């Protein structure tokens, strides 16, 4: 089971609090309402990430939020395992309609990537980017 790093979650919550403080300092209710709405979405995402658990199973990757499975990627449907263009540390796993990002905000993200690669060694139809090494 993998989780998001607490420091990343707290940083996002701090940015949301700074948005509210900045909106109050501006003194205009329009700016405060816009920045308050943005910070509300940031806080909602923080709570969601605190409850999120990523599980790698023999035939799929499951993303659970609380008791509910929010995303499932089956290995038999995988089309690619590649890196993003902008941030080379993020790895994209998925197919056309379902994408999962393995990013450094996840605790032991490299171990998660190696487990996904281990389960997909025999699957020849999966495109694996040349910068991702198979161990």
């Amino acid at each position: 089971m993998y989780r998001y790093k607490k420091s990343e979650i707290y940083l996002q919550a701090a940015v949301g609090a700074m948005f509210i403080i900045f909106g109050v300092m501006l003194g205009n209710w329009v700016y405060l309402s816009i920045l308050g709405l943005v910070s509300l979405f940031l806080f909602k995402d923080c709570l969601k990430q605190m409850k999120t658990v990523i599980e790698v199973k023999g035939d799929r990757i499951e993303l659970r939020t609380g008791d509910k499975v929010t995303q499932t990627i089956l290995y038999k449907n995988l089309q690619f395992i590649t890196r993003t263009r902008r941030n080379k540390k993020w790895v994209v796993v998925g197919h056309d309609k379902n994408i999962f990002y393995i990013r450094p905000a996840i605790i032991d993200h490299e171990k998660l990537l190696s487990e996904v690669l281990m389960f997909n060694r025999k699957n020849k139809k999966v495109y694996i980017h040349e910068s991702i090494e198979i161990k």
Side-chain angles (χ1 to χ4, degrees):
M1 289 190 344
Y2 299 94
R3 296 183 177 272
Y4 287 99
K5 293 179 183 176
K6 297 288 185 189
S7 61
E8 300 285 335
I9 296 170
Y10 293 149
L11 178 67
Q12 186 173 351
V15 168
M18 288 176 60
F19 277 166
I20 291 175
I21 291 169
F22 186 65
V24 169
M25 286 175 48
L26 287 175
N28 191 342
W29 67 271
V30 175
Y31 293 130
L32 179 61
S33 62
I34 292 171
L35 292 174
L37 184 65
V38 170
S39 64
L40 180 71
F41 288 134
L42 286 172
F43 291 140
K44 181 182 171 190
D45 190 45
C46 286
L47 291 174
K48 184 178 174 185
Q49 283 183 358
M50 289 180 88
K51 297 177 188 176
T52 300
V53 175
I54 302 161
E55 294 182 10
V56 179
K57 297 187 176 180
D59 63 339
R60 65 186 178 274
I61 301 171
E62 281 187 354
L63 190 76
R64 295 181 177 270
T65 304
D67 294 335
K68 190 170 89 173
V69 176
T70 55
Q71 187 178 14
T72 302
I73 298 177
L74 298 173
Y75 293 143
K76 66 180 181 178
N77 296 336
L78 273 184
Q79 291 178 346
F80 52 84
I81 300 173
T82 185
R83 294 202 184 271
T84 57
R85 287 187 186 179
R86 267 193 194 182
N87 194 345
K88 299 295 182 189
K89 294 180 182 178
W90 288 28
V91 176
V92 182
V93 177
H95 52 86
D96 291 337
K97 297 180 181 165
N98 199 358
I99 295 175
F100 176 70
Y101 293 98
I102 300 174
R103 49 189 188 157
I106 299 172
I107 298 173
D108 292 332
H109 67 280
E110 293 178 1
K111 184 179 174 189
L112 173 62
L113 177 62
S114 67
E115 281 189 41
V116 170
L117 289 173
M118 181 185 69
F119 284 118
N120 285 299
R121 277 190 183 156
K122 296 176 183 170
N123 194 352
K124 298 296 180 187
K125 68 178 184 174
V126 176
Y127 167 75
I128 299 176
H129 195 264
E130 61 267 2
S131 67
I132 299 174
E133 63 234 14
I134 300 173
K135 295 178 183 178

